[in-house]
Amino acid sequence: MVTNRRCSVEANSKFSGKVIGYRHLQCLLLFIGFCLIFATRVNISIAIVAMMDSKAANTAFPEYTWSEQTKSHILSSFFCGYILLQIPAGAWACRFGGHLLLLLCISINSLLALLTPLGVSIGDWPLLCVLRFSQGLLQGIIFPSIATILSKWAPVEERSAMQTFIYSGGQLGIVLMLAASGKLCSSSLGWPSTFYIPGALGLLWSVILFIFGASTPRDCKHISAEERAMIEKSLGHDSKAVEEERDMKHSVPWRRIFTSKHFLVTLLNHCANDWCFWTLLTQMPSYIKSVLGKDINSNALISALPYLSMFSLSLILCPIASWLEKSETMKATVSRKVFNTIGLWIPSVTLVSLSYLQQDQGNLAIGLLTITVAVSTHVHFGYAVNHLDLAPNLAGTLLGIFNCGANMMGVIAPIFVGYIVTETRNVHQWRVVFLLTAAFTFTGNLLFLIFGTAKVQAWNERPRAVIEAEQLEELVNSVQKPNELAEDAEAGAPKNDAEKSVAEKSVAEKVIML
């Protein structure tokens, strides 16, 4: 017989997990890892200024005379690699384990960061583009790997809080890098230090993860049996099912995934939120400088303020969301929709307000920008955790698809703005951009309210035909075995009637069970 498995949908009213357990150490390690990979992602945006103008930083280090076009190629090379491996990475994580992929990706990514200053001195900007492209390629595997790890480590009652805490590490990495890069570039360490420091810390982190990390609680040598049993119970897995799942080759039901309305509406929300995020990240400096006459790039702390606010709010929301789910104050589906509505509809309102500001309202514009980015962190408790709800067995694959589609918005949104805004001082053209972005986020959440769900989908499990085929094979083998014994008996002493009766009865029982 095949052991039946199920995955929990709602919080367990008898959840009795420890307040702090080994799962939280895994969460902390992933949080720090996120912080480091985002630091290596954004460090180039500050370092390239010093690399092209040593007088603005430290003249003791090399200066490169690159054009603005070359600069744009360098900055975009990371994202060209980032979107390529998102989808296959999910299947790799399911097959080889998220821990192994994560360890390899971040360690190699950190090594490439350490080699960046040397690479620029040898191969100039083309080799720098290759290094950044390679880092993007590796970081494209990280999100699906972490999603696969979380699907095994995070109890349903703590799922959204743990994921949000981990992802907030990325916001902290952005804040720390933006705030520190300017001082590092102008210090005696120069612009190379913006690559050396996060690269060295990344290698150190990889060693710690190798010692204490694990793909699943059952693979972990340090976790207590009590905590492991609690996690598996919350996820609806018994120990035998976990062992079977490890050896199981779970084919991806691509057609059923892409025809699922719940999957499609979650993908739409990923794209809507990232459209808003990348529009603000890439276009706000130009808008505030050209329309409002205030350059936020002149102050690194102001540039980092929205992300600092986002990180702070994430830490506040994590225990609140966890308490709501554990106490069953809100069901999982209701919780996802409430947080998603706050995270997308409030930014819709602030974007509309931003579009009608006048030129003398620069401070209010920065305030609205900060609110828009900070409040959007609520989506980490909404659509952003929905891949774990819909299909825990395919969490890495789903997140790879979502992340691939969402990051394509980072390429499309700036091009779209370029077609709309032909005169940077034209308030009406900017208004069109903000209103369309607000409409996108509003529509995305509206459809999520209608079609969104936290229920596990049928395509999360293996096709029934595969299971029945395995059962039939087991039946055939069980029938053949008594026949082989009978043939052996003919060559030797003949079986007595009692032994033949037992063999025939065993076969009959197995047929009835199937």
Side-chain angles (χ1 to χ4, degrees):
M1 296 181 66
V2 178
T3 303
N4 292 327
R5 295 182 295 116
R6 68 175 184 83
C7 291
S8 300
V9 178
E10 307 292 354
N12 187 348
S13 59
K14 296 183 179 180
F15 179 78
S16 58
K18 294 180 179 179
V19 176
I20 299 295
Y22 204 84
R23 65 192 183 279
H24 297 111
L25 175 60
Q26 301 295 309
C27 189
L28 179 61
L29 287 174
L30 296 179
F31 168 85
I32 298 173
F34 247 76
C35 182
L36 293 173
I37 63 174
F38 270 81
T40 60
R41 182 182 299 190
V42 303
N43 58 353
I44 189 68
S45 62
I46 303 296
I48 200 169
V49 177
M51 295 168 73
M52 296 176 63
D53 184 11
S54 61
K55 296 178 181 178
N58 190 330
T59 56
F61 292 88
E63 178 179 319
Y64 300 92
T65 55
W66 295 327
S67 65
E68 288 298 318
Q69 185 178 11
T70 299
K71 177 182 176 181
S72 65
H73 290 328
I74 295 171
L75 294 176
S76 63
S77 58
F78 177 92
F79 295 97
C80 291
Y82 186 65
I83 63 175
L84 294 182
L85 296 182
Q86 295 279 346
I87 296 177
W92 296 342
C94 290
R95 182 173 182 180
F96 302 109
H99 173 255
L100 176 62
L101 281 182
L102 187 64
L103 186 63
L104 289 174
C105 290
I106 295 188
S107 58
I108 299 175
N109 179 81
S110 301
L111 182 61
L112 291 176
L114 290 172
L115 294 175
T116 297
L118 177 62
V120 179
S121 64
I122 295 175
D124 207 71
W125 71 268
L127 186 52
L128 176 58
C129 286
V130 172
L131 289 170
R132 293 294 297 177
F133 176 85
S134 300
Q135 285 185 291
L137 205 65
L138 290 166
Q139 291 199 23
I141 302 176
I142 290 174
F143 270 90
S145 299
I146 289 180
T148 303
I149 294 173
L150 273 177
S151 69
K152 309 300 180 186
W153 273 98
V156 175
E157 297 81 1
E158 299 176 353
R159 179 178 287 166
S160 60
M162 288 179 68
Q163 176 173 287
T164 303
F165 176 73
I166 291 170
Y167 286 0
S168 67
Q171 300 150 22
L172 180 61
I174 293 174
V175 171
L176 294 177
M177 207 66 222
L178 288 177
S181 292
K183 293 184 178 180
L184 288 174
C185 289
S186 58
S187 69
S188 59
L189 299 174
W191 60 261
S193 62
T194 61
F195 299 98
Y196 290 147
I197 293 177
L201 291 175
L203 289 178
L204 177 61
W205 177 88
S206 299
V207 174
I208 298 174
L209 182 70
F210 177 77
I211 298 173
F212 297 103
S215 293
T216 68
R218 194 154 289 272
D219 294 331
C220 183
K221 300 177 181 178
H222 308 287
I223 190 173
S224 66
E226 178 187 2
E227 184 179 5
R228 182 175 62 215
M230 179 274 296
I231 294 173
E232 292 177 354
K233 180 180 179 181
S234 175
L235 296 176
H237 293 165
D238 58 32
S239 59
K240 185 176 180 181
V242 172
E243 293 294 339
E244 286 182 356
E245 184 178 357
R246 179 182 303 173
D247 300 328
M248 179 182 68
K249 291 183 178 180
H250 195 355
S251 59
V252 180
W254 296 109
R255 184 183 64 82
R256 299 184 70 187
I257 289 176
F258 281 97
T259 54
S260 167
K261 60 185 178 182
H262 307 300
F263 163 82
L264 293 175
V265 76
T266 304
L267 176 60
L268 176 64
N269 275 259
H270 273 271
C271 292
N273 184 68
D274 270 46
W275 181 283
C276 178
F277 176 81
W278 289 112
T279 297
L280 294 178
L281 185 65
T282 60
Q283 303 301 325
M284 273 297 93
S286 177
Y287 169 77
I288 294 178
K289 179 180 179 180
S290 302
V291 177
L292 304 178
K294 190 178 182 66
D295 185 6
I296 63 172
N297 282 330
S298 61
N299 191 320
L301 292 178
I302 294 179
S303 299
L305 179 61
Y307 303 100
L308 179 60
S309 302
M310 189 179 190
F311 170 72
S312 302
L313 185 58
S314 296
L315 297 183
I316 295 174
L317 290 175
C318 281
I320 296 176
S322 182
W323 174 80
L324 288 173
E325 292 184 356
K326 289 180 180 180
S327 64
E328 293 188 321
T329 302
M330 282 193 286
K331 298 296 184 181
T333 298
V334 176
S335 175
R336 302 287 183 264
K337 292 183 177 182
V338 169
F339 281 107
N340 207 68
T341 299
I342 297 173
L344 287 181
W345 276 6
I346 290 182
S348 297
V349 174
T350 56
L351 284 171
V352 172
S353 303
L354 189 64
S355 66
Y356 286 96
L357 292 184
Q358 302 302 316
Q359 295 183 349
D360 59 345
Q361 296 177 298
N363 292 332
L364 180 57
I366 293 175
L368 288 174
L369 170 62
T370 301
I371 293 173
T372 302
V373 175
V375 172
S376 67
T377 195
H378 285 78
V379 300
H380 291 143
F381 304 92
Y383 77 81
V385 75
N386 205 217
H387 57 280
L388 294 171
D389 298 322
L390 298 178
N393 292 335
L394 301 168
T397 299
L398 292 189
L399 185 57
I401 299 171
F402 293 147
N403 218 23
C404 180
N407 279 279
M408 288 180 67
M409 299 299 102
V411 178
I412 299 174
I415 296 175
F416 172 79
V417 174
Y419 278 104
I420 299 296
V421 181
T422 56
E423 300 176 9
T424 56
R425 295 182 179 274
N426 191 318
V427 178
H428 300 288
Q429 292 178 354
W430 283 105
R431 184 173 299 163
V432 172
V433 172
F434 295 138
L435 292 178
L436 286 176
T437 303
F440 195 3
T441 56
F442 181 88
T443 303
N445 182 66
L446 179 62
L447 293 176
F448 190 79
L449 289 176
I450 298 173
F451 300 109
T453 182
K455 294 182 178 180
V456 177
Q457 301 302 293
W459 39 266
N460 174 63
E461 302 294 340
R462 287 188 299 170
R464 184 172 179 80
V466 175
I467 299 175
E468 291 176 347
E470 291 177 351
Q471 293 174 334
L472 181 60
E473 182 180 357
E474 182 183 349
L475 174 61
V476 171
N477 292 335
S478 66
V479 172
Q480 288 177 346
K481 189 173 181 180
N483 291 337
E484 291 173 356
L485 292 174
E487 292 175 359
D488 293 339
E490 290 177 1
K495 282 187 175 182
N496 56 39
D497 293 339
E499 289 175 333
K500 291 180 180 180
S501 176
V502 170
E504 291 173 355
K505 183 178 180 181
S506 175
V507 173
E509 288 176 348
K510 290 183 177 180
V511 172
I512 294 172
M513 290 172 69
L514 290 173

